[in-house]
């Protein structure tokens, strides 16, 4: 059985919505898109890269998958495009008729708590989730997340989709903490069972 790790950019107040660009996700009138742009540095790249470095597969919610495909599929001028193109990708969606177009993609249609639990039990590789806050809101209460790689930025946004759903009660053990040159604290956490 594989494990599930998440890799997330998160604000001090827990927001994960639209870290990459202003128009990434404006649901709910979110006007702070691109908030993580000032923070990447070499330390962040090295440490967060470890969270994606294994030989495992990727797991996405459909919205994040489509955003990642638009940004990275077929690109060769960076290390992420070829890596993501080659990796097996699983996409959780409620729409059984949805068809992906990115190579090496398998659709998990239906209730994500069930389809992801079945996948986790069936594969011998680790699964890495990038973004996908709606998917995580289902996976956390189901106890399916094993590790978290969080890049906590020194910014409070005051609104937006948060990493942990209301009512979540989860315990984590700190594995590693690394400060960056831009004030981000990188934390690797393991779920305490």
């Amino acid at each position: 059985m594989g494990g599930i790790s998440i890799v997330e950019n998160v604000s001090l107040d827990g927001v994960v919505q639209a870290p990459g660009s202003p128009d990434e996700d404006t649901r709910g009138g979110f006007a702070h898109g691109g908030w993580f742009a000032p923070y990447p540095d070499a330390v962040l790249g090295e440490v967060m890269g470890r969270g994606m470095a294994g030989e495992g597969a990727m797991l996405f919610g459909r919205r994040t998958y489509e955003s990642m495909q638009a940004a990275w599929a077929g690109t060769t001028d960076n290390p992420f495009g070829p890596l993501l193109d080659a990796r097996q990708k699983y996409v959780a969606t409620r729409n059984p008729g949805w068809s992906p177009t990115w190579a090496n993609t398998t659709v998990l249609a239906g209730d994500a708590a069930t389809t992801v639990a079945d996948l986790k039990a069936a594969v011998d590789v680790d699964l890495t989730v990038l973004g996908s806050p709606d998917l995580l809101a289902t996976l956390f209460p189901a106890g399916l997340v094993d590790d978290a790689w969080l890049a906590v930025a020194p910014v409070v946004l005051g609104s937006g989709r948060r990493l942990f759903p209301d009512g979540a009660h989860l315990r984590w053990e700190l594995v590693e903490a690394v400060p960056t040159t831009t004030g981000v604290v990188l934390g690797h956490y393991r779920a305490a069972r």
Side-chain angles (χ1 to χ4, degrees):
M1 176 166 66
I4 295 180
S5 296
I6 66 170
V7 178
E8 299 286 334
N9 297 325
V10 61
S11 70
L12 281 175
D13 56 341
V15 175
V16 293
Q17 185 171 356
S21 67
D23 60 348
E24 182 179 350
D25 182 358
T26 59
R27 288 180 290 172
F30 187 69
H32 305 296
W35 57 267
F36 199 79
Y39 300 110
D41 69 354
V43 176
L44 177 91
E46 191 273 321
V47 175
M48 292 302 269
R50 281 191 255 151
M52 291 179 50
E55 294 296 318
M58 307 301 296
L59 173 62
F60 297 103
R62 187 185 53 80
R63 183 180 188 86
T64 300
Y65 171 88
E66 289 174 342
S67 176
M68 296 293 287
Q69 180 180 9
W72 300 107
T75 62
T76 57
D77 60 345
N78 63 81
F80 298 110
L83 177 122
L84 289 169
D85 284 344
R87 281 277 168 89
Q88 175 63 47
K89 294 167 282 295
Y90 295 95
V91 184
T93 179
R94 293 178 195 95
N95 180 354
W98 179 74
S99 296
T101 58
W102 201 357
N104 303 313
T105 299
T106 301
V107 174
L108 305 174
D111 173 63
T114 301
T115 61
V116 173
D118 291 347
L119 173 66
K120 185 177 176 181
V123 298
D124 289 329
V125 298
D126 289 333
L127 303 164
T128 300
V129 180
L130 304 179
S132 307
D134 292 343
L135 174 62
L136 293 177
T138 299
L139 301 185
F140 283 131
L144 293 171
V145 177
D146 302 295
D147 282 281
W149 293 81
L150 305 180
V152 182
V155 60
V156 173
L157 299 171
S159 67
R161 300 179 90 70
R162 290 185 168 29
L163 176 58
F164 298 105
D166 288 345
H169 182 80
L170 306 164
R171 294 192 184 277
W172 298 88
E173 297 171 352
L174 180 65
V175 176
E176 176 182 18
V178 179
T180 73
T181 64
T182 61
V184 171
V185 175
L186 304 169
H188 177 200
Y189 297 89
R190 185 161 295 125
R193 304 280 188 223

